Amino acid sequence: MNYRAVRAIYIFEMSRFFRTITQSFVSPVLSTSLYFVVFGTAIGSRIDTVEGVSYGAFIVPGLIMLSVMTQATANASFGIYFPKFLGTIYELLSAPISFFEIVLGYVGAAATKALFIGVVILLTSFFFVDMQIAHPLAMLAFLIMTCVSFSLLGFIIGIWAKSFEQLQLVPLLVITPLVFLGGSFYSVSMLPPVWQTITLFNPVLYLISGFRWSFFGAADVPVGISLLAIALFTGGCLAVIGWMFKSGYRIKS
Amino acid sequence: MSAIVSVANLDKTYEGGFQALKSVSLEIEQGEILALLGPNGAGKTTLISTICGMVTPSGGSVQVGGHDIIDDFRQARRLIGLVPQEINLEPFEKVINTVRFSRGLFGKPRDDAKIEQILRALSLWDKKDAAIKELSGGMKRRVLIAKALSHEPRVLFLDEPTAGVDVELRRDMWEVVRGLQKDGVTIILTTHYIEEAEAIADRIGVISKGNILLVEEKDALMARMGQKELQIELQQPLSALPDALSGYALELAGDGRSLTYRYDTSAERTGITTLLGDLAAQGVMLKDVSTRQSSLEDIFVGLVEEKA
């Protein structure tokens, strides 16, 4: 195992993040604050409570998930696409490192950035709503698992993408709708029965539900199923990455 | 001397069916400068990219320092530094950070003194904190070399190091390469500038259409295939060659004011002595005499055309 290489990639990627720390920090805080003003205060004042939780607090896990999933995907896809675009990937391919180590470095950095933003949003939300976290350790575990699994997804997108347009296509067309329709801002029980069934096919629902359980001790689907969903999703991403590297898909001729 | 890189029957066929390398075999000696010469699309970059790990070979094998590049890729790659043809660098990154990154990638512990030494040797130390986008083209190329040298490789591949580089910088680059050879680094460079191979290589390999046509000591190659020209300037112009001189491979030029005589330096008799004697006998007065060795370019063009 070439730990130094993993460390070098991780530090190199994180330094890009810290170079733009203001944007990295300000934008999630601002967008979260806007969500709280619009959903929490304006709409929430007419909703009261959802499953015994004030609406403002209810949307916190969904908001964090929305940002974390988008950020993890975007960071990881950009992280590996950029060297491909610039041609600097030659160095990764000619270095004494395995594909596993490359993934570890890039996905590790992307997940760290997403985790950082998730925590910032969580802290921001304490300014707007009064809430307590029922299972803090489980909350952190869910958060980290989501950061890692979506960074893996982002890595796949970054390898697959042939242009900057394609790089943004998947997050825009797939992830954002799935997150919005996955119960970020509402409980599934609030939907008509047909939509409740359809929603069950949305993998993001299980992630948000599990994460919400760690906050309030109640969820749309049992926690065990949420964990299983994350495990399956992570496993699936790993399998795809494994195949990509084995076949040299779009990186090696 | 022993081979530090040995390539055996290397094949590469790209997905579209294009065969870039056709059973290439090549032994690269420790400490030498080998120039791979060939026209565009000859397979030079594919050969280097395969040895360095960016291209998966279709057949054959490569060993670097006795390590197979696939089964034992970590050991093999640790020995190799690569300077690519294109200037592939992160524009917003600082020079020193990208060089440090390269060292880390190859599994070496951080060593600021070593990095400083490399950057100073390449006249980049003053620019260590500059973002790469602020550098000139020549400096960017030197950053690529610094990255390749950051992990102290034993073998350095330079893919067209002086393509699109002005004459002065090209000479600087050659100095750098010679300096590295003194430190014991084996250097393989590809080029399509004959002048470059002639100036710095110990051995020259000619590659065309995926085949290695020959690999030979530069001096031997030039001597073996080298033709010389004797240029004779005359006092009085000649309207035609005297009949007594028709047995020589002579050419009258410059309005009859000069004669060109081609001969082979490796031949037993060059014929110069008798030619000069016969010229004197015909009463031809000489003004000046000079000789010119045919360049590698002439040899190269001849080779590629002959085998094509």
Side-chain angles (χ1 to χ4, degrees):
Chain A
M1 183 88 176
N2 187 346
Y3 291 106
R4 291 203 183 98
V6 177
R7 194 169 155 261
I9 295 173
Y10 185 84
I11 290 175
F12 198 72
E13 283 299 297
M14 291 308 287
S15 77
R16 195 193 344 253
F17 178 65
F18 286 116
R19 242 196 333 258
T20 53
I21 187 75
T22 325
Q23 287 128 280
S24 313
F25 189 81
V26 171
S27 111
V29 171
L30 184 71
S31 64
T32 313
S33 306
L34 286 174
Y35 274 115
F36 276 120
V37 171
V38 176
F39 287 99
T41 317
I43 299 175
S45 62
R46 290 160 188 255
I47 295 183
D48 242 20
T49 62
V50 179
E51 306 190 344
V53 180
S54 81
Y55 187 69
F58 181 83
I59 63 168
V60 170
L63 269 179
I64 295 175
M65 278 296 186
L66 174 67
S67 289
V68 161
M69 286 172 184
T70 327
Q71 289 288 334
T73 315
N75 286 329
S77 60
F78 187 78
I80 189 68
Y81 179 75
F82 206 43
K84 251 178 54 177
F85 174 74
L86 290 172
T88 54
I89 197 160
Y90 83 88
E91 208 175 14
L92 291 174
L93 296 176
S94 63
I97 46 174
S98 68
F99 299 136
F100 177 71
E101 289 153 5
I102 295 179
V103 173
L104 209 57
Y106 279 100
V107 168
T112 309
K113 296 176 205 173
L115 183 66
F116 173 83
I117 288 163
V119 171
V120 167
I121 295 175
L122 179 65
L123 296 178
T124 311
S125 63
F126 281 116
F127 285 102
F128 291 91
V129 291
D130 186 25
M131 63 175 180
Q132 291 207 317
I133 300 166
H135 311 281
L137 281 181
M139 189 275 293
L140 202 61
F142 265 111
L143 192 59
I144 291 171
M145 283 188 288
T146 309
C147 290
V148 171
S149 56
F150 275 77
S151 297
L152 288 170
L153 176 69
F155 193 87
I156 295 173
I157 296 168
I159 298 244
W160 164 80
K162 282 182 169 172
S163 63
F164 278 103
E165 285 75 25
Q166 287 188 338
L167 202 60
Q168 289 170 337
L169 205 66
V170 175
L172 207 66
L173 290 185
V174 182
I175 296 176
T176 312
L178 284 182
V179 175
F180 269 90
L181 300 173
S184 321
F185 302 114
Y186 53 84
S187 164
V188 176
S189 59
M190 293 158 82
L191 294 172
V194 182
W195 281 101
Q196 284 194 26
T197 317
I198 292 174
T199 307
L200 290 178
F201 290 98
N202 180 356
V204 175
L205 168 80
Y206 299 90
L207 303 183
I208 294 179
S209 170
F211 193 50
R212 186 167 287 139
W213 166 84
S214 68
F215 275 79
F216 310 119
D220 286 330
V221 291
V223 185
I225 294 182
S226 289
L227 281 173
L228 187 69
I230 292 194
L232 283 177
F233 180 61
T234 310
C237 288
L238 282 173
V240 172
I241 290 176
W243 168 80
M244 279 178 151
F245 276 128
K246 212 162 206 172
S247 63
Y249 178 79
R250 290 195 181 171
I251 28 176
K252 228 173 146 178
S253 48
Chain B
M1 284 212 291
S2 59
I4 188 153
V5 179
S6 48
V7 179
N9 308 315
L10 196 65
D11 275 309
K12 176 61 190 178
T13 306
Y14 284 106
E15 229 166 84
F18 175 66
Q19 200 178 355
L21 296 176
K22 298 168 186 163
S23 195
V24 167
S25 294
L26 177 67
E27 299 274 303
I28 298 163
E29 306 294 336
Q30 178 127 27
E32 74 171 333
I33 299 180
L34 174 73
L36 284 173
L37 205 56
N40 287 324
K44 303 185 295 280
T45 300
T46 302
L47 178 59
I48 286 194
S49 302
T50 310
I51 299 174
C52 294
M54 281 114 68
V55 170
T56 316
S58 311
S61 67
V62 181
Q63 297 216 320
V64 181
H67 305 285
D68 187 90
I69 56 157
I70 291 169
D71 296 337
D72 202 1
F73 75 96
R74 287 185 200 262
Q75 291 308 317
R77 290 184 191 173
R78 262 181 235 280
L79 301 173
I80 301 177
L82 168 65
V83 182
Q85 190 174 343
E86 309 280 331
I87 295 183
N88 302 322
L89 289 164
E90 293 232 5
F92 307 109
E93 209 54 59
K94 274 191 203 172
V95 170
I96 195 157
N97 286 350
T98 159
V99 178
R100 267 190 201 134
F101 169 72
S102 300
R103 187 175 168 88
L105 213 50
F106 279 76
K108 291 264 178 168
R110 185 171 163 166
D111 183 345
D112 289 343
K114 186 76 210 169
I115 300 289
E116 178 173 346
Q117 185 199 331
I118 291 168
L119 290 179
R120 280 191 191 281
L122 291 163
S123 321
L124 284 170
W125 184 246
D126 294 343
K127 297 280 178 186
K128 67 180 191 302
D129 291 317
I132 282 162
K133 63 179 162 71
E134 297 162 16
L135 303 183
S136 69
M139 282 181 180
K140 284 180 189 157
R141 218 169 259 282
R142 274 181 277 158
V143 173
L144 285 175
I145 298 182
K147 280 165 78 72
L149 293 177
S150 66
H151 65 280
E152 302 156 68
R154 306 284 306 124
V155 185
L156 184 69
F157 287 91
L158 294 146
D159 197 359
E160 305 258 356
T162 57
V165 158
D166 65 37
V167 181
E168 201 175 328
L169 190 62
R170 195 174 302 166
R171 293 189 191 284
D172 286 353
M173 206 73 83
W174 294 346
E175 280 312 308
V176 170
V177 169
R178 288 197 191 98
L180 288 169
Q181 187 187 29
K182 281 203 190 91
D183 296 338
V185 179
T186 305
I187 292 146
I188 297 97
L189 63 95
T190 70
T191 181
H192 54 251
Y193 295 118
I194 316 273
E195 186 201 7
E196 186 154 271
E198 211 168 340
I200 58 172
D202 297 317
R203 286 200 306 158
I204 290 169
V206 177
I207 181 166
S208 176
K209 295 185 178 157
N211 290 301
I212 297 235
L213 302 181
L214 66 84
V215 183
E216 236 180 89
E217 298 285 330
K218 179 183 68 185
D219 298 339
L221 179 69
M222 301 213 29
R224 184 165 68 86
M225 305 195 69
Q227 289 224 322
K228 271 194 132 177
E229 282 180 358
L230 177 67
Q231 197 81 27
I232 304 163
E233 304 290 326
L234 307 175
Q235 292 276 18
Q236 302 292 328
L238 286 177
S239 53
L241 275 179
D243 288 342
L245 297 173
S246 60
Y248 294 98
L250 273 177
E251 212 174 279
L252 197 59
D255 294 333
R257 285 183 182 277
S258 73
L259 286 168
T260 308
Y261 173 64
R262 286 204 178 76
Y263 62 99
D264 192 344
T265 46
S266 57
E268 210 165 292
R269 295 174 62 90
T270 57
I272 296 175
T273 319
T274 50
L275 171 67
L276 292 179
D278 285 347
L279 280 171
Q282 292 295 314
V284 180
M285 303 290 277
L286 311 188
K287 191 174 168 191
D288 195 8
V289 173
S290 63
T291 64
R292 187 183 85 88
Q293 178 120 36
S294 64
S295 71
L296 203 49
E297 180 138 16
D298 306 330
I299 300 172
F300 175 67
V301 170
L303 251 180
V304 173
E305 278 172 359
E306 188 182 306
K307 306 230 176 168

